[in-house]
Amino acid sequence: MGIESLLVFIIIGAIAGWLAGLIVSGFGFGLLGNIVVGIIGAFIAGWLLPRLGFAIGGGILASIINATIGAVILLVLVKVLKRA
């Protein structure tokens, strides 16, 4: 993995984490937290969505959408577990 790929990975994670924080109200982790949430969300979506039969496509926008969906799932799970 080159430095450019790593940089794109971090930027996509930051955007996805920020968007997920806006969608799931009550969550804001700052830049580093958003990157982590976005990257974990990308792994969740990369594992879950193909098993459910969803395919968004390729490219940066599709990666952001996938990572955002996964990050929203992660934040909703965290919210549910905090209430329990």
Side-chain angles (χ1 to χ4, degrees), residues 4-63:
E4 296 88 9
S5 298
L6 185 61
L7 186 60
V8 169
F9 197 63
I10 290 172
I11 290 171
I12 288 173
I15 293 170
W18 174 70
L19 287 172
L22 291 177
I23 293 170
V24 181
S25 62
F27 283 94
F29 296 109
L31 181 61
L32 187 59
N34 286 343
I35 291 171
V36 171
V37 167
I39 290 172
I40 294 172
F43 283 115
I44 290 171
W47 176 80
L48 182 64
L49 293 181
R51 284 169 175 65
L52 296 175
F54 292 108
I56 295 176
I60 299 259
L61 185 59
S63 297

Side-chain angles (χ1 to χ4, degrees), residues 57-73:
I60 299 259
L61 185 59
S63 297
I64 291 172
I65 292 170
N66 266 342
T68 302
I69 291 170
V72 166
I73 292 170

